[in-house]
Amino acid sequence: MSRAAALRLGAFAGALALAFGAAYGIGTAVDPIAAADTPSQSQEMGMGDMGGHDAGGQLPGLAVSDAGYTFSPATTFFTAGTKTALRFTITGPDGKPVTRYTKTHEKDLHLIVVRRDLSGFHHVHPTLAADGTWSIPFTFTAGGTWRMYADFQPAGLDKNITLGTDVNVSGLYIPVPLNDPAAVTSIHGYDVTLAGTPAAGKESQLTFKITKNGKPVTDLQPYLGAFGHLVSLRSGDLAYLHNHPAQHAEPGMKGGPSIDFMTTFPTAGTYSLFLDFQHAGAVHTAEFTVKVSSTGTTIAPPTAVPNHEEEAHEHEQPVR
């Protein structure tokens, strides 16, 4: 069963599964709190950098608390298929909700929500109330344990912080395996190819090329100040890496078909990559699975990608 099919089935059957409240117990709901006086990678690097980690190996998104800041959801229990108000606060070193932030890529805070099996990825931007409460209408599409990441920069702090916590969602739980590594994926009629030779602990270039109906897309639109946003999550512990291309995108500019990222994967392993890009007024997310080795494995895109327009004509039936 494909990832998309499993998620649709989970959403469809979620209401039937409410009687099986045991799904609340899948996974853990609270992460260990990191020592406030231990600098993490989120303190040492900016949001657009995927540089090295600290001596303790701490990576962004693995702790619910860091540098005195804590990610506090209003509740950690939800129901699949039901729209709810997702609410949380970021408390500061003084124990009070943070109300002032420095914008990073046009937003005060970026919220990433993904199920623990790395399916159902969402990159959203909640609204901040005067009392420091963040909120956004949200629907968890399937049961299981979901990971939430808050990526932000408090006012007066010169570094980004990324905190993570788990929440439990009742409903039908069907584990979805990772996609096999591939150099091309399709989303909403777009084909996205990936090229590069990522090696653990070394900066390398990843190039994504976007086409539609076999033609290069040369009019990508700026989205949050860039032509692309790349979130990478390490399989297993779901360590978080958020990267942006070097080229800044001003309103009215056009980009594509290629988007380049300089990235550093901290360790060998399997990573899920989620590329956000905007075209014709809509944001799309292309997903890749990448295996990173210590020596580097070349990802070579195919010489040609499918032409969905031609495929559609081939399957048209003659009018009788």
Side-chain angles (χ1 to χ4, degrees), residues 11-148:
F12 174 76
L16 298 179
L18 294 181
F20 300 95
Y24 280 125
I26 299 173
T28 57
V30 181
D31 284 6
I33 296 180
D37 58 352
T38 301
S40 72
Q41 184 195 27
S42 59
Q43 294 171 261
E44 295 174 351
M45 69 181 190
M47 185 173 174
D49 189 359
M50 293 173 66
H53 48 84
D54 68 9
Q58 182 68 46
L59 290 170
L62 294 181
V64 71
S65 183
D66 188 19
Y69 295 88
T70 301
F71 187 6
S72 302
T75 180
T76 57
F77 295 93
F78 299 90
T79 300
T82 301
K83 181 177 288 188
T84 186
L86 189 58
R87 294 189 178 93
F88 62 91
T89 59
I90 304 295
T91 57
D94 59 0
K96 299 179 181 179
V98 178
T99 58
R100 296 178 58 247
Y101 294 81
T102 298
K103 290 185 184 298
T104 55
H105 296 275
E106 301 183 353
K107 297 292 181 179
D108 284 341
L109 183 144
H110 299 260
L111 181 68
I112 306 296
V113 185
V114 64
R115 203 166 71 164
R116 268 278 175 184
D117 60 5
L118 293 171
S119 62
F121 176 88
H122 299 271
H123 178 177
V124 296
H125 302 98
T127 301
L128 178 64
D131 66 354
T133 299
W134 292 95
S135 64
I136 188 171
F138 193 84
T139 302
F140 291 93
T141 52
T145 301
W146 289 67
R147 187 73 173 167
M148 300 199 309

Side-chain angles (χ1 to χ4, degrees), residues 212-223:
K212 187 173 186 180
N213 297 325
K215 299 177 182 179
V217 176
T218 58
D219 56 346
L220 291 176
Q221 298 168 320
Y223 174 60

